[in-house]
Amino acid sequence: MSNTTISILFLLIYTIGLIAVGLWNRKSENSEAYFLASRSLPPWLLAITFIASWWGGGTAVDLVDHAHFIGLSAFWIYGAPVLLATALMFLFAKGIRNVGTVSQPQLMSERYNDKVSLFLTIFIIIFMVLNTAVQIIVVGKFFEAFFDMSYESGAILGTLIVFTYSLFGGFKGVVVTDLLQFVFFLFTGVFLFILAYTQSGGIEAVKATAIANDKVGFTSIFTNVSDKMAYIITFGTSWMIQANIWQRISAARKAVDAKKMMIYSFLAFIPLYLMVVYTGVFSSVLYPTIPKSGIVPTMISSLSNPYLSALLFVGLCSAIMSTMDSLINTGALSLTVDIFQKHINPEASAKVNVFVGRFSTLLVSAVALFIALRIRSFLTIAWIGSDFLTSGAFIPLVLGFLWARGTSKAALVSMMFGLLFSTYNLLIAFGLNLPSAWDVASAKQAIIGILGSLILFVGISFFTKGDIEKSRRFINKAGVMNRRGKKLRK
């Protein structure tokens, strides 16, 4: 059999296995069971599904290519923001779990009001759809490179696979499949790292190649770190409040399990991201320029053993899909719990809510696919999605746990500013000739967005009346501690 035939066969077997897992977990009695697996999962399993959500398509394809081009400092594009976000979430994990809501907007409603909750829902849906589109772009390009098919066909096929097994199993199905996908991709990542290292001749060969190509600082992780500050700030802050990760924290059995989940994940991310970066660095000896299909697909398709190539192909697919299914599931959660149940039909039966959850899964998948078929830039869409969340939701969410004086009106104005600011930058990024005092996708833009949101939130809070007692009850329920170990009150 040819390499393509074997790869298709392996992918078919893998897909059937994922769908079987989804069908096995299809019984969901209510929204909490469908979206949080009834809060019955252990911290180690939640940590794996957390890692699988972030150590996915961007890491597998995009980060390796960046490392090939700029060297070890590529770690700051994805690795550093992930560590920053995980550390921040460790500080808030107890509070998120103690509040005990099913979704992030429900939490905002408890802290502020329904208007703020609805605004956050809009941000979450925008972020989840855009980042699902990012993963569809990756899988579409990967299938295009590996098979004899168009990008469009590859994007549609990848989306259909993830949609099918996500549709039936809900969050529990996503978690179980994430476990399988993590194992597959871990094997792929380790194998490609060893392959790149042995074939390149190691770090000395990398240094010699960098000198020959006049790449100064290629083997230093601290080269031009300031150039990556935009990614560190925007990705780090937006990922810290990413709803699909808060969903996993909320799914923990108790608060201490949520904190354990974050510790396990933080410790695992360090070697995992460094391994991927070094794979790209070693590949700079093997490939003078980045192949059209990317470093990783080229390495896999070039293997002489067709069965090993097919196995690694499935491993890379698992990385992409584990991220995509998480994003789709959380987008569907927001549409179901925070739009349908909250504003359209609060009296709907549990059966109807589960049906709406599955329809929402279809809707998120379809809209993301539509975007991915028209915009094919991975980093552009990832930045746009993160910019919306950072400028619009970071300050009200984080200070909502820490500062009782923060009012609902201030949160709403702060989020409106973020929506307008990010939309303005989006129009500039798409080529509209609008005046701007900052470069798009720059550290200055990210800082202006966060500071603008902070100034509005704090300033308006001092000039508007809020329900201080309600805010204090929320903060005390969350149980977030200050340095002296006392609950923050004001």
Side-chain angles (χ1 to χ4, degrees):
M1 290 189 291
S2 66
N3 286 13
T4 301
T5 303
I6 295 172
S7 298
I8 292 174
L9 180 61
F10 274 41
L11 180 61
L12 181 61
I13 295 171
Y14 177 73
T15 302
I16 292 173
L18 292 180
I19 293 173
V21 171
L23 292 171
W24 181 264
N25 292 281
R26 70 186 183 278
K27 185 178 180 180
S28 300
E29 296 176 353
N30 52 48
S31 295
E32 184 170 303
Y34 186 77
F35 288 114
L36 297 181
S38 301
R39 306 185 198 268
S40 62
L41 302 175
W44 66 267
L45 184 55
L46 287 171
I48 288 178
T49 187
F50 173 25
I51 295 167
S53 296
W54 278 359
W55 197 54
T59 301
V61 178
D62 203 51
L63 184 54
V64 172
D65 290 350
H66 281 294
H68 174 283
F69 184 67
I70 65 175
L72 286 180
S73 63
F75 179 81
W76 298 95
I77 297 177
Y78 291 118
V82 162
L83 293 178
L84 172 63
T86 306
L88 289 172
M89 278 192 289
F90 171 79
L91 300 177
F92 290 89
K94 179 180 178 181
I96 296 167
R97 179 58 189 89
N98 282 344
V99 173
T101 55
V102 174
S103 72
Q104 210 175 47
Q106 285 182 337
L107 182 148
M108 288 288 268
S109 179
E110 189 168 330
R111 171 60 178 85
Y112 298 110
N113 58 30
D114 288 347
K115 289 182 179 179
V116 177
S117 171
L118 180 59
F119 238 83
L120 179 61
T121 302
I122 294 171
F123 279 111
I124 290 172
I125 293 172
I126 291 172
F127 180 86
M128 293 303 157
V129 169
L130 287 173
N131 279 273
T132 300
V134 166
Q135 302 307 317
I136 295 174
I137 291 170
V138 175
V139 76
K141 290 183 176 180
F142 184 48
F143 282 6
E144 179 186 27
F146 213 83
F147 297 128
D148 186 19
M149 65 168 54
S150 66
Y151 164 80
E152 290 78 10
S153 298
I156 293 170
L157 176 60
T159 305
L160 285 175
I161 292 172
V162 176
F163 164 72
T164 303
Y165 73 74
S166 298
L167 179 65
F168 297 103
F171 181 66
K172 187 175 182 181
V174 167
V175 168
V176 175
T177 53
D178 277 353
L179 174 60
L180 299 175
Q181 291 164 330
F182 175 75
V183 172
F184 267 112
F185 184 50
L186 181 61
F187 171 77
T188 300
V190 171
F191 181 89
L192 292 177
F193 168 77
I194 295 173
L195 180 67
Y197 172 78
T198 55
Q199 290 188 349
S200 67
I203 196 67
E204 293 303 321
V206 171
K207 290 179 180 179
T209 302
I211 292 173
N213 293 312
D214 198 27
K215 291 186 175 182
V216 179
F218 189 80
T219 55
S220 171
I221 198 170
F222 298 106
T223 300
N224 296 326
V225 174
S226 59
D227 294 343
K228 288 86 176 178
M229 288 304 298
Y231 301 112
I232 297 171
I233 295 171
T234 303
F235 286 160
T237 52
S238 67
W239 292 348
M240 180 263 172
I241 59 171
Q242 196 168 316
N244 58 322
I245 305 305
W246 285 42
Q247 180 185 7
R248 280 149 178 74
I249 295 173
S250 297
R253 290 178 295 199
K254 47 190 177 180
V256 67
D257 287 344
K259 294 180 76 70
K260 287 180 180 179
M261 163 192 164
M262 305 316 298
I263 294 174
Y264 298 159
S265 301
F266 184 91
L267 295 176
F269 278 135
I270 297 172
L272 291 175
Y273 273 94
L274 284 174
M275 180 178 67
V276 172
V277 170
Y278 269 100
T279 300
V281 168
F282 291 138
S283 73
S284 66
V285 179
L286 308 176
Y287 304 97
T289 59
I290 299 174
K292 182 180 179 181
S293 59
I295 299 292
V296 172
T298 301
M299 290 179 67
I300 293 175
S301 61
S302 300
L303 293 173
S304 58
N305 187 321
Y307 294 97
L308 179 59
S309 178
L311 184 62
L312 296 177
F313 164 75
V314 171
L316 185 55
C317 288
S318 70
I320 301 168
M321 293 176 183
S322 64
T323 302
M324 194 192 307
D325 61 25
S326 171
L327 297 167
I328 292 173
N329 186 260
T330 306
L333 166 66
S334 294
L335 284 171
T336 304
V337 175
D338 303 307
I339 298 294
F340 180 77
Q341 293 181 22
K342 183 76 175 179
H343 299 283
I344 298 177
N345 190 358
E347 304 300 324
S349 65
K351 184 177 180 180
V352 170
N353 287 331
V354 171
F355 171 80
V356 172
R358 288 172 175 156
F359 177 78
S360 298
T361 301
L362 170 62
L363 185 60
V364 171
S365 303
V367 175
L369 177 60
F370 177 81
I371 295 172
L373 292 176
R374 282 155 178 79
I375 305 175
R376 301 186 186 182
S377 173
F378 182 101
L379 206 54
T380 296
I381 296 183
W383 169 269
I384 292 170
S386 295
D387 187 44
F388 271 96
L389 209 54
T390 296
S391 300
F394 180 77
I395 294 299
L397 264 175
V398 171
L399 291 190
F401 282 93
L402 302 176
W403 192 42
R405 186 67 181 82
T407 66
S408 300
K409 289 182 179 179
L412 190 62
V413 172
S414 174
M415 295 174 85
M416 291 176 65
F417 161 78
L419 182 62
L420 293 173
F421 181 78
S422 299
T423 302
Y424 190 85
N425 291 318
L426 172 62
L427 294 174
I428 295 174
F430 280 164
L432 204 61
N433 187 21
L434 297 173
S436 176
W438 54 85
D439 294 329
V440 173
S442 65
K444 186 176 182 180
Q445 176 191 323
I447 293 171
I448 290 174
I450 293 177
L451 284 180
S453 178
L454 175 63
I455 292 170
L456 286 171
F457 182 80
V458 173
I460 294 175
S461 291
F462 281 121
F463 290 99
T464 56
K465 184 178 181 180
D467 190 339
I468 300 294
E469 288 306 313
K470 177 184 177 182
S471 300
R472 286 176 176 170
R473 285 195 302 270
F474 175 89
I475 292 174
N476 287 336
K477 181 180 179 181
V480 178
M481 299 291 181
N482 66 6
R483 293 178 182 176
R484 295 182 299 276
K486 297 179 181 180
K487 291 180 180 178
L488 294 169
R489 288 182 174 270
K490 190 172 180 180

